[in-house]
């Protein structure tokens, strides 16, 4: 049954992705958390355009993708879980958790290294915050991320089904935790012990550098709490906080062509976490 699932891996991922995206869009219209003054047509055309471009590039450069590498590792006996005799359920659970931790560390790295921040800041340059923000990543960042993911899958010898579960969870939770949706405060407090919620991740998209450099988790919320990067709430409140970074506040940067050149525009100082001092937002830090 598992091998049969692997044959339909792209369709499983696409089906879950489309279903979660549709649910989140309807939820955002029915119960928005914040008012959005940026034209949706402008933002969504750029954000959906970039994910379409990313998908084509990844399929061209990595035809086997992460699940394919997991299948090759299983056949070749590569990686930790293929070398040691580990119960199947434990290998699946451990692989999903470890891959999530790697994505957390990768996210921190893209904030810590100025050259990588240039790529990642396109994600943060969105002037609003909704489920399509979770799709907005520069193609070069996506290629680097996929290369790291494939390397970790091979090193772990992650079971193919674990990689499929991880990929589905990562896509679904990214759409969820970027959602402009309202959750009852009590439910949010409970949920953020097991999954990153929209209110938790929205802090990460604040224009305050110290808040931008917090709440790095996409799926599991534990790493931020354990490693000291957890910020419960934005200082300006969810309704009053400013989303984005200062260098790209003009709406022209929401266009797809402008999004693609953002890594090559302007300085990188202020937001990377290797900077010791943070200027206030009105100092135009970028």
């Amino acid at each position: 049954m598992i091998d049969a699932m692997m044959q339909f891996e792209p369709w499983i991922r696409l089906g879950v992705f489309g279903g979660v995206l549709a649910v989140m869009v309807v939820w955002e219209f029915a119960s928005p958390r914040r008012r959005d003054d940026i034209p949706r047509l402008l933002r969504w055309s750029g954000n959906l355009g970039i994910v379409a471009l990313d998908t084509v590039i990844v399929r061209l450069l990595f035809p086997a993708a992460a699940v394919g590498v997991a299948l090759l590792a299983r056949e070749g006996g590569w990686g930790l879980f293929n070398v040691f005799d580990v119960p199947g359920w434990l290998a699946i659970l451990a692989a999903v958790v470890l891959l999530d931790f790697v994505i957390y560390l990768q996210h921190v790295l893209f904030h810590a290294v100025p050259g990588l921040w240039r790529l990642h800041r396109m994600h943060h340059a969105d002037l609003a915050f909704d489920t399509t923000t979770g799709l907005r990543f520069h193609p070069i960042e996506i290629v680097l991320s996929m290369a790291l993911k494939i390397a970790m899958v091979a090193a772990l010898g992650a079971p193919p089904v674990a990689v499929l579960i991880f990929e589905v969870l990562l896509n679904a939770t990214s759409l969820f935790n970027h959602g402009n949706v309202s959750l009852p405060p009590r439910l949010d407090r409970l949920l953020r012990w097991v999954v990153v919620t929209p209110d938790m991740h929205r802090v990460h998209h604040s224009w305050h550098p110290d808040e931008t450099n917090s709440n790095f988790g996409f799926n599991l919320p534990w790493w931020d709490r354990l490693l000291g990067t957890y910020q419960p709430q934005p200082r300006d409140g969810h309704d009053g906080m400013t989303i984005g970074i200062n260098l790209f506040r003009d709406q022209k940067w929401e266009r797809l062509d402008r999004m693609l050149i953002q890594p090559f525009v302007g300085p990188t100082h202020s937001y990377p976490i290797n900077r010791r001092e943070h200027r206030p937002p009105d100092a135009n830090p970028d």
Side-chain angles (χ1 to χ4, degrees):
M1 180 179 176
I2 290 177
D3 288 340
M5 286 176 58
M6 294 304 105
Q7 294 179 2
F8 296 100
E9 173 261 337
W11 298 107
I12 293 172
R13 291 183 57 190
L14 182 61
V16 174
F17 169 80
V20 174
L21 179 61
V23 168
M24 292 305 302
V25 168
V26 171
W27 190 358
E28 288 181 337
F29 275 102
S31 183
R33 181 68 167 88
R34 286 166 45 95
R35 179 179 174 179
D36 183 1
D37 295 324
I38 311 297
R40 280 195 177 92
L41 180 60
L42 174 65
R43 290 186 52 254
W44 286 12
S45 61
N47 291 352
L48 295 176
I50 201 73
V51 73
L53 179 61
D54 289 344
T55 301
V56 171
I57 291 173
V58 166
R59 283 297 174 182
L60 288 174
L61 294 180
F62 306 98
V67 173
V69 170
L71 289 167
L72 291 173
R74 185 182 66 181
E75 293 173 5
W78 313 333
L80 182 67
F81 295 124
N82 291 317
V83 171
F84 295 97
D85 187 17
V86 180
W89 67 269
L90 180 58
I92 291 170
L93 179 61
V96 170
V97 172
L98 288 171
L99 286 171
D100 191 78
F101 182 51
V102 168
I103 293 297
Y104 167 87
L105 294 177
Q106 173 195 295
H107 196 176
V108 174
L109 187 66
F110 270 80
H111 278 249
V113 179
L116 296 178
W117 168 249
R118 278 189 172 273
L119 300 173
H120 184 62
R121 69 183 181 181
M122 192 200 79
H123 177 67
H124 284 264
D126 201 343
L127 295 176
F129 181 91
D130 66 19
T131 193
T132 68
T133 308
L135 308 173
R136 178 187 170 119
F137 295 94
H138 197 277
I140 300 176
E141 178 179 359
I142 287 293
V143 168
L144 293 175
S145 178
M146 179 57 74
L148 174 62
K149 191 187 304 180
I150 284 174
M152 287 307 304
V153 166
L156 289 173
V161 68
V163 179
L164 176 58
I165 291 170
F166 172 73
E167 295 274 52
V168 168
L169 281 176
L170 187 64
N171 289 337
T173 54
S174 183
L175 291 170
F176 168 67
N177 61 44
H178 286 91
N180 181 27
V181 294
S182 291
L183 287 171
R186 184 176 180 183
L187 178 59
D188 178 81
R189 286 195 298 271
L190 291 173
L191 279 179
R192 64 171 64 190
W193 284 102
V194 292
V195 68
V196 175
T197 67
D199 273 14
M200 178 178 169
H201 192 68
R202 190 178 296 106
V203 178
H204 182 72
H205 285 257
S206 165
W207 73 341
H208 292 294
D210 60 318
E211 293 180 348
T212 304
N213 295 315
S214 68
N215 297 4
F216 292 99
F218 269 95
N219 180 17
L220 299 175
W222 313 326
W223 317 124
D224 285 300
R225 293 178 184 271
L226 290 171
L227 298 176
T229 54
Y230 178 60
Q231 178 82 6
Q233 300 294 336
R235 66 167 63 89
D236 299 325
H238 286 282
D239 292 327
M241 69 183 291
T242 300
I243 300 293
I245 55 179
N246 288 331
L247 181 61
F248 302 112
R249 302 224 69 86
D250 192 310
Q251 291 186 21
K252 69 182 181 182
W253 293 107
E254 299 294 329
R255 288 173 16 207
L256 178 59
D257 60 329
R258 294 282 184 162
M259 290 164 62
L260 290 171
I261 66 171
Q262 284 180 15
F264 315 105
V265 174
T268 60
H269 63 279
S270 180
Y271 283 96
I273 58 178
N274 62 340
R275 182 175 170 84
R276 293 185 177 180
E277 63 178 5
H278 297 298
R279 300 179 188 179
D282 59 3
N284 194 21
D286 235 342

